[in-house]
Amino acid sequence: DIQVTQSPSTLSASVGDRVTITCRASQDIDRWLAWYQQKPGKAPKLLIYKASNLESGVPSRFSGSGSGTDFTLTISSLQPDDFATYYCQLYDDFSRTFGQGTKVEMK
Amino acid sequence: QVQLQQWGAGLLKPSETLSLTCSVSGGSLSGYYWSWIRQSPGKGLEWIGDINHRGNINFNPSLTSRVTMSIDTSKDQFSLRLSSVTAADTAVFYCARGRGCSGGSCYPRAYDIWGQGTVVTVSS
């Protein structure tokens, strides 16, 4: 099975900071990676699909990059609403594996 | 727009069968695979399985023996049953829209629409 490993597990940041979260796959997954945001008591919300495509309605301060095994989610200027937990997910023809999550908390 | 509304029993005893249903509104079951995903503190987000409108099913190999999925196209609903539950099955369960299908072939899609989640607790 292909594993996906996120880092860091926790990130402390301030409003206005540039934030970067990484996801590494154990094998080449092309660009079959998504990023989700989850707030307490809510379902995950899709932010980015196919590594770098912004889901409709998602603010442009969110961006994704990468291909193969290494991927990045970037928040260009952290806003108060962005404090949450973020997950990456591999979703190719054979796997639907989530990363362990990165909690973005207030510094 | 498409919305998912899910329901089912939230408190089970060990060895009982979990049963959840998800209803699709604002759209059709056709053209997609519909998934069940659970989230527990110990295992994070875990894909359980998915089903399309033709009843084609894919399961997480670690849960195959205990999982049953079904679909009712007349009601635009799909369901999950997980048998012989234990405390390890305590989790929040979500339904979600996943893989797409068109012209006889299917392709990967991220989960763009989710149900609200159902908290399931297994305790004696």
Side-chain angles (χ1 to χ4, degrees):
Chain A
D1 289 357
I2 302 176
Q3 307 300 316
V4 288
T5 305
Q6 262 183 263
S7 61
S9 55
T10 307
L11 187 160
S12 297
S14 301
V15 172
D17 284 354
R18 182 181 182 87
V19 168
T20 299
I21 300 168
T22 63
C23 186
R24 174 163 289 176
S26 59
Q27 298 177 39
D28 187 336
I29 61 170
D30 194 358
R31 294 169 56 82
W32 297 114
L33 192 99
W35 291 96
Y36 300 86
Q37 177 194 67
Q38 187 178 33
K39 295 183 178 179
K42 300 293 188 182
K45 172 188 173 183
L46 178 64
L47 300 174
I48 302 285
Y49 62 94
K50 212 164 182 187
S52 62
N53 293 273
L54 194 68
E55 176 70 351
S56 176
V58 174
S60 59
R61 62 181 180 273
F62 292 93
S63 64
S65 65
S67 66
T69 60
D70 293 310
F71 301 86
T72 300
L73 172 70
T74 299
I75 309 172
S76 60
S77 177
L78 194 69
Q79 297 302 299
D81 191 48
D82 300 339
F83 291 100
T85 300
Y86 294 84
Y87 294 92
C88 62
Q89 184 217 356
L90 156 64
Y91 66 97
D92 67 8
D93 282 329
F94 306 102
S95 303
R96 295 135 176 80
T97 306
F98 291 87
Q100 305 94 319
T102 296
K103 184 176 181 180
V104 176
E105 61 181 24
M106 206 172 297
K107 184 185 289 184
Chain B
Q1 74 277 24
V2 178
Q3 292 184 317
L4 302 181
Q5 180 76 27
Q6 59 182 101
W7 64 87
L11 181 59
L12 297 171
K13 291 182 167 48
S15 80
E16 292 185 334
T17 296
L18 176 157
S19 181
L20 299 174
T21 298
C22 186
S23 179
V24 180
S25 61
S28 169
L29 289 172
S30 299
Y32 299 97
Y33 273 81
W34 302 89
S35 291
W36 290 98
I37 297 157
R38 67 180 181 181
Q39 185 173 30
S40 61
K43 299 193 78 174
L45 287 159
E46 180 182 32
W47 172 70
I48 298 169
D50 53 32
I51 186 169
N52 74 357
H53 71 285
R54 298 183 187 278
N56 297 318
I57 298 173
N58 301 295
F59 289 129
N60 185 325
S62 68
L63 296 167
T64 297
S65 62
R66 297 195 292 131
V67 174
T68 304
M69 296 180 67
S70 60
I71 196 161
D72 186 340
T73 55
S74 68
K75 295 182 179 179
D76 284 330
Q77 294 175 358
F78 58 103
S79 298
L80 169 73
R81 290 172 63 86
L82 180 66
S83 64
S84 304
V85 297
T86 70
D89 294 310
T90 294
V92 180
F93 286 73
Y94 295 100
C95 55
R97 186 173 77 172
R99 284 172 64 79
C101 295
S102 176
S105 64
C106 298
Y107 50 91
R109 290 182 73 256
Y111 295 118
D112 60 340
I113 299 172
W114 295 65
Q116 79 277 19
T118 301
V119 178
V120 174
T121 302
V122 180
S123 174
S124 56

